Amino acid sequence: MRIGGLAGAGGPLDPGNVTSVLSFLAINSVFEFPALHGDGELEPGVAESITPNGDATVWTLTLREGLLFHDGSPVRAQDVVASIAYMGNFETSPTYALGWIDVDWANLRAIDDRTAEIPLLRPRADYLESVFAVFLPIIKEGAPDFMVPVGSGPYQVESNDGADGVVVVRNDDWWEFKPAVERVITVPINDPGARINALKSGEIDIAYQLPPAVVRAEEGNDDITIIRSSLGAAAMIFSMNTSLPPFDNPEVREAVRLSVDRQTMINSVLLGQGQLGNDLVGLGFPGYNDQLPQRTHDLERAQALFAANGISELDIVASDIAPGLVASAEVLAAQLATIGVTLNIDELPADAFFADIPRLLSTPFMTMYFSNRPAAVHLPQFVGSTAVVNVTAFAAPEFDAAMLAAQSTADAEERLQHLLEAQAIEWEQGGTIVWGFSPMILAHSPKVENVKVISDGLIEFEDLVLRA
């Protein structure tokens, strides 16, 4: 099986420093996880159970019996502890460490070979869905070589060329079942047009992460199968920094929201291949606040608010970090022009957009995208006073209080109500405009069967079937 996708810098398959989509795919097949977010529910992994104590200040993770690493050694609770320590260290895992910031490191321990105890500094009743099931690959204690890493997953690394071309082979001793495909090769192909052409010519079997325009041309082509998934979808966003003028003014934020014709955005930018957004991330996942009214398009009201606040010109930074974001700024410019507001677009190359985080945090208005994840996962990372990266700078005390309650309340129904409240506060006051969701799109040969999309749009190699 050959999978073509967007490559990154290449190098080690280091879970703490994932560089590309292809790296993610390989890591997901080589390592195992306690649990992962699936289609509307948690997918069980190597954890037999993950349970809190009464006030959710201590979590206990019990491994399944009989788990083995690729070198034949047993997977132990000590490896779980080592993995948490690795993923929770800002030096070894700068992207994921914040999720583990509540761990009481001095008392993190393995009780026995199958049982790990994870004490926390505060109650976190949401830790299963918000942390354990997000991204915790089980790394063998004392085995830091990630060029050809030792995991326990359904596939093991045969070779790694250091440029995102990775060959993995079936792990015949995997505990769950014997995967159908013996060998999977990741093929770096950065241009999406080249990816679809490689699929059509038979050079690859799966073309991963395609933009709507590329796929639109292939509708009706019986020689390929197209999959669109909300798992891994990109939330397409206009981001307003609520601490900087003019977006520190709630009326200006409201005027911009009312100016966005969301359906037109989907029709023109995503060629109709998307879902309507309502200024919240997490559509389709448990905990999403679907009780809020859908944002409307009201240019008359927007024009009045802009005029009342002396706004006739705005600047936006746009970059195609997700395909279509620059086009979305151009569509917004046309919509604003009809009510006498000029939108100046400063376009940045995609590879430069995230290179300067301080610049992002000081940009008043820009295009942005987030992977569509459950609200309980997304909000603590990107909204509020404790977020690791908060490009809107929205940190209202009432939002922080609702999120703290959502994280610390043990009762599931009560916790959900706090989460819904937090989303309602951000929806009403925040600086995020989610105009739509661009689906995760991939295409494959008719020879490929049982393509299953899970958390963050990843596909599970062990489920794939390749017919002759």
Side-chain angles (χ1 to χ4, degrees):
M1 182 83 71
R2 299 153 301 169
I3 300 177
L6 182 65
L13 292 175
D14 180 355
N17 295 274
V18 183
T19 59
S20 75
V21 165
L22 288 182
S23 295
F24 257 120
L25 288 170
I27 285 170
N28 188 61
S29 72
V30 171
F31 294 97
E32 293 195 275
F33 303 82
L36 285 170
H37 286 283
D39 190 1
E41 60 184 2
L42 289 180
E43 299 250 343
V46 294
E48 183 176 272
S49 64
I50 307 174
T51 55
N53 65 350
D55 63 358
T57 56
V58 178
W59 285 78
T60 301
L61 186 154
T62 302
L63 291 169
R64 298 178 185 270
E65 292 185 3
L67 301 172
L68 296 174
F69 283 112
H70 297 148
D71 62 3
S73 61
V75 179
R76 306 163 304 139
Q78 291 86 342
D79 301 302
V80 174
V81 168
S83 301
I84 293 173
Y86 187 84
M87 299 303 294
N89 186 326
F90 280 94
E91 292 186 3
T92 54
S93 178
T95 302
Y96 298 100
L98 186 75
W100 302 97
I101 200 167
D102 288 322
V103 172
D104 176 5
W105 296 107
N107 293 302
L108 174 67
R109 66 189 182 115
I111 297 175
D112 55 42
D113 283 350
R114 288 183 55 215
T115 311
E117 186 174 87
I118 301 94
L120 305 178
L121 300 173
R122 65 183 177 105
R124 284 293 302 271
D126 67 327
Y127 225 52
L128 174 54
E129 62 266 33
S130 298
V131 182
F132 287 118
V134 174
F135 191 64
L136 177 58
I138 306 303
I139 301 164
K140 183 177 179 179
E141 183 182 25
D145 177 14
F146 292 119
M147 281 303 293
V148 183
V150 175
S152 61
Y155 286 84
Q156 54 189 324
V157 178
E158 181 179 79
S159 65
N160 175 8
D161 68 4
D164 276 350
V166 178
V167 179
V168 296
V169 293
R170 182 172 58 205
N171 173 16
D172 290 329
D173 295 324
W174 193 43
W175 62 274
E176 192 166 2
F177 57 85
K178 184 177 180 177
V181 177
E182 180 180 345
R183 176 178 278 101
V184 182
I185 303 171
T186 62
V187 183
I189 308 176
N190 285 346
D191 180 74
R195 286 202 291 278
I196 198 74
N197 287 335
L199 174 65
K200 291 162 66 177
S201 68
E203 296 172 50
I204 60 175
D205 304 296
I206 298 176
Y208 191 80
Q209 205 173 33
L210 298 169
V214 169
V215 176
R216 180 71 172 268
E218 302 300 330
E219 295 285 4
N221 184 348
D222 293 335
D223 292 330
I224 65 172
T225 301
I226 297 169
I227 294 177
R228 296 174 178 85
S229 173
S230 60
L231 291 172
M236 306 293 275
I237 290 169
F238 296 118
S239 180
M240 303 175 288
N241 191 313
T242 61
S243 70
L244 299 174
F247 303 103
D248 54 350
N249 182 338
E251 289 193 348
V252 174
R253 300 200 297 273
E254 180 66 12
V256 177
R257 291 191 194 99
L258 294 172
S259 301
V260 179
D261 186 338
R262 296 153 197 267
Q263 191 59 57
T264 294
M265 287 281 181
I266 290 172
N267 293 343
S268 59
V269 176
L270 302 180
L271 304 180
Q273 301 179 64
Q275 293 175 279
L276 201 65
N278 195 29
D279 299 349
L280 295 172
V281 174
L283 180 67
F285 284 101
Y288 179 76
N289 193 335
D290 56 7
Q291 302 168 15
L292 298 169
Q294 175 61 50
R295 294 281 192 204
T296 58
H297 179 225
D298 188 343
L299 284 178
E300 183 178 350
R301 172 65 175 159
Q303 185 176 33
L305 288 170
F306 281 133
N309 290 280
I311 301 295
S312 60
E313 189 172 359
L314 293 170
D315 300 315
I316 189 168
V317 172
S319 179
D320 270 340
I321 49 173
L325 286 178
V326 172
S328 73
E330 294 168 347
V331 173
L332 180 60
Q335 293 171 351
L336 288 171
T338 64
I339 55 174
V341 176
T342 300
L343 181 65
N344 303 309
I345 301 173
D346 177 15
E347 185 176 347
L348 281 183
D351 59 2
F353 188 79
F354 289 113
D356 187 351
I357 297 299
R359 178 191 55 77
L360 286 184
L361 299 177
S362 61
T363 298
F365 193 29
M366 61 185 167
T367 59
M368 178 59 71
Y369 91 99
F370 291 114
S371 294
N372 189 33
R373 287 179 164 184
V377 177
H378 172 81
L379 291 176
Q381 295 184 46
F382 300 109
V383 185
S385 61
T386 60
V388 61
V389 178
N390 185 352
V391 293
T392 66
F394 180 67
E398 56 268 37
F399 172 86
D400 284 346
M403 276 308 303
L404 178 62
Q407 292 177 324
S408 59
T409 301
D411 181 79
E413 183 56 38
E414 186 180 347
R415 185 166 71 250
L416 173 61
Q417 294 308 310
H418 290 304
L419 183 62
L420 296 176
E421 179 188 1
Q423 292 172 83
I425 293 168
E426 191 207 7
W427 184 88
E428 183 67 34
Q429 303 176 31
T432 300
I433 299 173
V434 181
W435 56 262
F437 292 86
S438 180
M440 166 63 74
I441 306 177
L442 48 110
H444 61 80
S445 160
K447 297 187 298 182
V448 178
E449 299 176 4
N450 205 33
V451 179
K452 181 181 179 183
V453 181
I454 59 160
S455 176
D456 288 336
L458 298 173
I459 53 177
E460 296 195 314
F461 292 1
E462 62 268 27
D463 291 323
L464 297 172
V465 176
L466 182 63
R467 302 297 182 189

